[in-house]
Amino acid sequence: MRSISFIAGLLATICFAWCATAAAQTCELIYKWEQGETVATRLTIEQDRTIGPLPSPAEESKKKTKDRKPKRRGGDHREAEDMGQPCLMPIDYGSKSQKLVCDFDVKTAEVDADGAALLEMTFRRVEAAADLAEGERFTFDSAKPDKSAKGWSKRCQTLADLIGKTMTMRIGRDGRMIEAKGVDQLVEALASLQEQDALGAALLEKMNGADSGGGGGIDEMFSMGPRFLPGKPVKRGEQWTTGVEHTLPIVGKVRTVWDSTLASLKRVRTGQIATIKSEASIRVNQPASGMPGMDGLPPGVDLQFMPGTGTAETVFDVDAGRAVSAEMSLDMSVAVRWTQPGVETVDGVMQTVTCRMKNEVMEGTRP
């Protein structure tokens, strides 16, 4: 019995020592690019857009004591339309969804002395689905163009034109986006799935104009994307913060702060797999009315962006130096009001957008 107790105690001591060592173990989460390597990836973007009425000042005060049921259908809505107010947002209350799935062949074209890689992402297949007006559901599959939709529309053509096109991105070892080109075609494909969003159309037009004018456009904005890797060795449970700030025409200065944690570090047959979990806070510092940045909005239109939130999860193969999958979800709301001289507020809507993105290496193509 004593020998069994001794062995059990020895095993417990060894186990405790191993756990203590494992808990303190650090790992370096960096990309290890191989020039000439090609893998297949899939990017899925889903968006839910909900339109609802704005609460009146009286209803705002009542909201502190009880919930308010949505109203504002019918009379008020028709009066606003009859007065010729700009329909900056659709007044078709409710939710609509869009989904875009892009399969890419991703080639590592170059790796510089600092370990940063130039990636060429070529569209191989595109699938899409979207809710349109009057309950119509649009679908598209580049592999089955004859069955994608009733007739061949401009929307179909925009999606079909992606096939064979290439986006290029230069990414550092720490996951920082150094440069991006050709992202505008992906953004325009997403925009083609939406209807009656004049605010989005005005923003896209402004950003495209900035691109052609030499900077400040879609590609530049994309190069300021989030970075989830810590940029230093970390241990399990350790937290770090990364932030990004950029200015959008019409919208203003957008500041996003990501708080990330190395949630788990597991040993698998091929090496170590790290899981990073992240949460974001999003703040918009809007320019004052008449200040630079507000150009592009119709007269009398006022925007109010609410604080946004985000979550993300990155699964990273430590030994291969590769993100196996990365998922991100963002939630933002904006109140849009339009006014007339002498009238405080004519009408308005609240638009809430939830955007979910997943980028993953497809099975059978991992290095």
Side-chain angles (χ1 to χ4, degrees):
M1 292 292 291
R2 286 183 178 180
S3 62
I4 294 176
S5 298
F6 173 77
I7 293 171
L10 180 61
L11 290 174
T13 302
I14 293 172
C15 183
F16 176 80
W18 181 85
C19 289
T21 302
Q25 181 184 9
T26 62
C27 66
E28 191 173 17
L29 305 176
I30 57 173
Y31 281 96
K32 302 172 184 177
W33 312 104
E34 293 290 339
Q35 186 165 323
E37 168 188 283
T38 299
V39 297
T41 65
R42 172 168 291 169
L43 173 65
T44 302
I45 304 175
E46 297 179 273
Q47 180 174 286
D48 296 322
R49 192 162 53 108
T50 302
I51 305 297
L54 286 174
S56 67
E59 288 169 331
E60 280 283 9
S61 61
K62 290 180 182 178
K63 192 175 181 181
K64 297 179 181 179
T65 55
K66 68 175 184 178
D67 292 331
R68 178 181 63 83
K69 295 182 179 180
K71 297 180 182 178
R72 297 283 306 280
R73 292 191 69 97
D76 292 343
H77 155 51
R78 286 193 298 270
E79 285 182 7
E81 285 188 334
D82 291 342
M83 284 188 286
Q85 294 305 307
C87 183
L88 195 68
M89 294 288 186
I91 310 298
D92 182 14
Y93 295 157
S95 297
K96 291 185 177 181
S97 65
Q98 297 88 34
K99 182 176 181 179
L100 181 66
V101 182
C102 301
D103 290 349
F104 294 94
D105 289 324
V106 183
K107 179 181 178 180
T108 304
E110 298 174 7
V111 181
D112 65 20
D114 295 324
L118 177 65
L119 304 182
E120 296 176 346
M121 303 178 61
T122 303
F123 290 89
R124 180 163 44 84
R125 182 174 181 175
V126 175
E127 298 178 65
D131 295 325
L132 303 181
E134 299 179 357
E136 181 184 355
R137 183 69 173 172
F138 168 82
T139 60
F140 176 87
D141 185 345
S142 63
K144 305 173 184 177
D146 56 326
K147 299 179 181 179
S148 298
K150 297 177 181 178
W152 193 259
S153 63
K154 181 180 179 181
R155 182 179 290 111
C156 291
Q157 191 65 56
T158 299
L159 296 169
D161 286 346
L162 289 176
I163 304 303
K165 297 288 181 64
T166 298
M167 302 188 303
T168 61
M169 299 178 188
R170 192 176 296 276
I171 303 175
R173 298 185 75 192
D174 62 353
R176 180 173 57 93
M177 185 72 68
I178 301 171
E179 183 183 38
K181 293 183 179 179
V183 183
D184 57 318
Q185 52 200 353
L186 177 62
V187 175
E188 288 170 1
L190 282 168
S192 73
L193 299 178
Q194 298 185 10
E195 288 190 321
Q196 298 178 312
D197 189 352
L199 175 59
L203 176 59
L204 186 59
E205 182 180 0
K206 279 287 180 182
M207 294 182 69
N208 276 329
D211 253 336
S212 61
I218 294 174
D219 288 345
E220 183 175 330
M221 184 200 72
F222 196 82
S223 68
M224 301 177 186
R227 176 175 64 84
F228 299 111
L229 300 188
K232 63 178 182 178
V234 292
K235 60 185 179 181
R236 187 173 57 192
E238 187 170 347
Q239 298 181 340
W240 62 91
T241 299
T242 55
V244 61
E245 185 175 284
H246 54 271
T247 300
L248 294 177
I250 299 175
V251 175
K253 186 174 291 185
V254 182
R255 170 71 173 168
T256 306
V257 176
W258 287 95
D259 293 317
S260 300
T261 304
L262 179 55
S264 67
L265 185 61
K266 298 179 179 179
R267 175 66 64 178
V268 297
R269 182 178 57 83
T270 56
Q272 284 185 309
I273 297 295
T275 300
I276 301 168
K277 294 191 176 182
S278 310
E279 294 185 354
S281 62
I282 307 168
R283 297 292 184 272
V284 179
N285 184 13
Q286 294 170 242
S289 180
M291 295 289 288
M294 293 300 287
D295 295 340
L297 288 179
V301 173
D302 175 67
L303 304 181
Q304 181 185 359
F305 287 87
M306 311 301 167
T309 59
T311 59
E313 180 175 294
T314 306
V315 179
F316 197 87
D317 188 325
V318 180
D319 297 82
R322 191 65 49 93
V324 176
S325 68
E327 299 183 59
M328 180 169 62
S329 179
L330 302 174
D331 291 275
M332 284 290 294
S333 296
V334 56
V336 183
R337 300 177 179 88
W338 43 88
T339 61
Q340 278 186 330
V343 181
E344 184 177 351
T345 300
V346 173
D347 206 346
V349 294
M350 178 73 77
Q351 175 172 261
T352 300
V353 176
T354 298
C355 185
R356 297 174 297 277
M357 291 165 278
K358 182 175 183 179
N359 193 20
E360 55 192 323
V361 177
M362 297 176 68
E363 291 293 337
T365 67
R366 296 176 189 171

